[in-house]
Amino acid sequence: EVQLLESGGGLVQPGGSLRLSCAASGFTFNNYAMTWVRQAPGKGLDWVSSISATGGSTYNADSVKGRFTISRDNSNNSLYLQMNSLRAEDTAVYYCAKAGSGDVAARSNYWGQGTLVTVSS
Amino acid sequence: DIQMTQSPSSLSASVGDRVTITCRASQGISNYLAWYQQKPGKVPKLLIYAASTLQSGVPSRFSGSRSGTDFTLTISSLQPEDVATYYCQKYNSAPFTFGQGTRLEIK
């Protein structure tokens, strides 16, 4: 059974940093691309970042470029999102999602339960 | 960047009705289109990918189609458990934009 467990969310002041983690199990992690998607309270889904299976290719939404960095550790079946220079508009539930293939150009077929990030003073 | 315009933003229909939700891409994306269902308070769930391929375990009353840059999600006979917000997403290339969502309610 595919399981994705996010952690690392919490309350942070504007300008601060957080590192989100996603622990994956139930599939061969290094065969699949991974994605972070966020959802602000009461709003729609917002794609944030994606990384290929090998980690060699990464993509970020314009809204987070230069501030967020996606990475993965295939030896530990883990996905990360380093978030710097956080803003109030980054407040959201952050979901980790597994792609349907090793390429980032794939649907997200499994989603974690999400971790809440709140940026506020 | 390619924009994804989803309509309607909300929809109310009766049990048993045929329901259609549309997503229009501002440029061609081939068949790289997925549909997700998010029930209130729950995690998004993949319904359809490659525009018309039903994800395993999804009821057959859900279907997807494509006509050029217009994509359609159809529920053939609406059930009470289909109350949710539905999103389309392009995944041909980054940015992997979602549509704005369609909130579906039972009349």
Side-chain angles (χ1 to χ4, degrees), chain A:
Chain A
E1 180 192 3
V2 172
Q3 292 194 359
L4 300 168
L5 184 60
E6 302 95 337
S7 61
L11 175 64
V12 61
Q13 291 189 339
S17 298
L18 274 179
R19 188 193 197 206
L20 304 184
S21 300
C22 174
S25 61
F27 64 102
T28 305
F29 184 71
N30 60 12
N31 282 352
Y32 294 93
M34 298 293 294
T35 288
W36 288 100
V37 175
R38 67 186 179 183
Q39 187 169 35
K43 302 297 185 183
L45 301 176
D46 183 29
W47 171 75
V48 175
S49 297
S50 294
I51 187 167
S52 63
T54 64
S57 298
T58 62
Y59 302 86
N60 295 288
D62 285 346
S63 58
V64 306
K65 269 179 189 168
R67 301 189 300 124
F68 290 12
T69 302
I70 189 172
S71 63
R72 63 191 295 160
D73 181 347
N74 285 346
S75 63
N76 284 315
N77 292 347
S78 294
L79 175 71
Y80 305 102
L81 186 67
Q82 177 66 44
M83 304 187 297
N84 299 329
S85 303
L86 283 161
R87 306 166 180 166
E89 54 265 34
D90 296 319
T91 294
V93 173
Y94 284 73
Y95 294 104
C96 158
K98 169 191 169 291
S101 75
D103 190 339
V104 294
R107 73 280 187 188
S108 293
N109 56 2
Y110 289 94
W111 297 61
Q113 292 299 309
T115 187
L116 176 63
V117 172
T118 303
V119 184
S120 174
S121 54

Side-chain angles (χ1 to χ4, degrees), chain B residues 35-75:
Chain B
W35 290 98
Y36 300 90
Q37 175 194 62
Q38 187 177 30
K39 295 184 177 181
K42 300 297 185 182
V43 173
K45 172 188 172 183
L46 176 66
L47 294 178
I48 287 169
Y49 62 96
S52 60
T53 302
L54 201 64
Q55 172 72 357
S56 176
V58 173
S60 59
R61 64 180 179 275
F62 291 92
S63 64
S65 64
R66 170 199 171 195
S67 177
T69 58
D70 289 343
F71 299 83
T72 300
L73 172 69
T74 299
I75 307 173

Side-chain angles (χ1 to χ4, degrees), chain B residues 78-97:
Chain B
L78 185 66
Q79 300 301 304
E81 60 266 32
D82 299 335
V83 169
T85 301
Y86 294 83
Y87 297 91
C88 63
Q89 184 195 26
K90 63 172 279 291
Y91 57 90
N92 60 317
S93 62
F96 304 114
T97 309

